[in-house]
């Protein structure tokens, strides 16, 4: 009997022990360690250039107080890109397809930005709940709406990352199944479908990187409002 398409999103286990911790920790082992020499190899140079460019782009809109988050946001970006890319390999598990993991990243970081805003500039932080020039009769309604939108932010962060990766994996599996089914009956259609599958795989590689960037970029925007 064919397994369900959603079985690929089940957390793997061995002898009843969940292996999601291994899936989360393994990407860090794959990163090359910078040597103690003055001259680095090409891989270390490309990695350093990418992280520096991303950090500069991310920290540009923030003031000096927000630069303390540079190491955290850059590490989160590299981590998300790595596990998203590894999840595209055959028989690999993608931890970021689990909403619980994404919410575990989104909620504490979002809450930290809110706490920083309330501690450093409470008037400005609370001022975001009421746009300037609002008519007096609309003030209670807008405060309620802005408060709800504030608390929806972490949910939107986690659901966006989960939904995009889950939809991409499901679509790849559906088209791959169609290729195997059509190959004996209609080889020409199967070849065309395989070409579509190849293009979709390239698209999913881009989505894996873009979604990690969007996740960290939105966190930096939330931080920008509170520092």
């Amino acid at each position: 009997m064919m397994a369900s398409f959603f079985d690929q999103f089940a957390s793997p286990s061995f002898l009843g022990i969940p292996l999601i911790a291994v899936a989360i920790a393994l990407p860090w082992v794959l990163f090359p360690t910078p040597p103690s020499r003055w001259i680095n190899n090409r891989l270390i140079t490309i990695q350093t250039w990418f992280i520096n460019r991303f950090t500069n782009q991310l920290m540009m809109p923030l003031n000096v107080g927000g630069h303390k988050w540079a190491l955290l946001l850059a590490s989160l970006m590299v981590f998300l890109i790595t596990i998203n890319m590894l999840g595209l390999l055959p028989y690999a598990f993608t931890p970021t397809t689990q909403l619980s993991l994404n919410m575990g990243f989104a909620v504490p970081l979002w809450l930290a930005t809110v706490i920083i805003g309330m501690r450093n500039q409470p008037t400005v932080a609370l001022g975001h709940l009421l746009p300037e020039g609002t008519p007096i009769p609309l003030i209670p309604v807008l405060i309620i709406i802005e408060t709800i939108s504030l608390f929806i932010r972490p949910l939107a962060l986690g659901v966006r990352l989960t939904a995009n990766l889950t939809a991409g994996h499901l679509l790849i599996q559906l088209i791959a199944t169609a290729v195997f089914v059509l190959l004996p009956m209609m080889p020409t259609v199967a070849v065309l479908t395989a070409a579509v599958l190849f293009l979709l795989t390239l698209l999913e590689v881009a989505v894996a990187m873009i979604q990690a960037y969007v996740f960290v970029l939105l966190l930096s925007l939330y931080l920008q409002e509170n520092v």
Side-chain angles (χ1 to χ4, degrees):
M1 186 175 64
M2 182 180 295
S4 171
F5 285 150
F6 291 93
D7 287 346
Q8 61 177 316
F9 304 116
S11 179
S13 59
F14 180 72
L15 298 178
I17 301 175
L19 299 181
I20 188 171
V22 178
I24 294 174
L26 182 61
W28 296 110
V29 183
L30 303 178
F31 292 116
T33 304
S36 57
R37 298 173 298 176
W38 282 96
I39 301 177
N40 295 326
N41 56 31
R42 292 182 178 87
L43 183 59
I44 296 292
T45 303
I46 293 175
Q47 175 183 299
T48 305
W49 175 85
F50 168 75
I51 294 177
N52 287 338
R53 291 294 299 173
F54 167 74
T55 305
N56 290 335
Q57 185 71 23
L58 197 64
M59 295 293 110
M60 192 178 301
L62 300 177
N63 56 23
V64 180
H67 293 177
K68 300 175 183 178
W69 286 60
L71 179 60
L72 175 62
L73 294 180
S75 301
L76 180 62
M77 168 73 174
V78 174
F79 173 74
L80 290 177
I81 286 181
T82 306
I83 58 179
N84 289 350
M85 296 291 288
L86 289 178
L88 294 174
L89 297 176
Y91 303 104
F93 172 68
T94 312
T96 44
T97 57
Q98 305 293 314
L99 183 60
S100 57
L101 176 68
N102 297 332
M103 294 301 294
F105 282 128
V107 172
L109 294 174
W110 163 82
L111 187 59
T113 61
V114 174
I115 293 175
I116 287 176
M118 292 296 183
R119 184 188 65 180
N120 295 340
Q121 43 184 12
T123 304
V124 177
L126 293 175
H128 291 301
L129 300 179
L130 183 63
E132 187 177 357
T134 304
I136 295 179
L138 295 179
I139 288 179
V141 178
L142 282 181
I143 290 179
I144 295 174
I145 293 175
E146 292 296 329
T147 304
I148 294 175
S149 65
L150 177 65
F151 285 98
I152 285 178
R153 285 180 175 182
L155 183 61
L157 278 177
V159 170
R160 178 185 291 106
L161 183 58
T162 304
N164 281 280
L165 295 178
T166 302
H169 283 60
L170 280 176
L171 194 56
I172 287 178
Q173 187 171 0
L174 287 170
I175 297 179
T177 304
V179 171
F180 281 106
V181 172
L182 294 173
L183 190 59
M185 297 181 295
M186 292 179 287
T188 305
V189 178
V191 171
L192 295 177
T193 308
V196 174
L197 178 62
F198 176 73
L199 296 177
L200 180 62
T201 304
L202 295 181
L203 178 63
E204 280 305 307
V205 171
V207 168
M209 294 186 290
I210 291 172
Q211 288 304 316
Y213 174 73
V214 169
F215 188 92
V216 179
L217 179 63
L218 289 176
L219 279 176
S220 69
L221 294 179
Y222 299 159
L223 179 65
Q224 182 181 354
E225 294 180 357
N226 294 282
V227 294

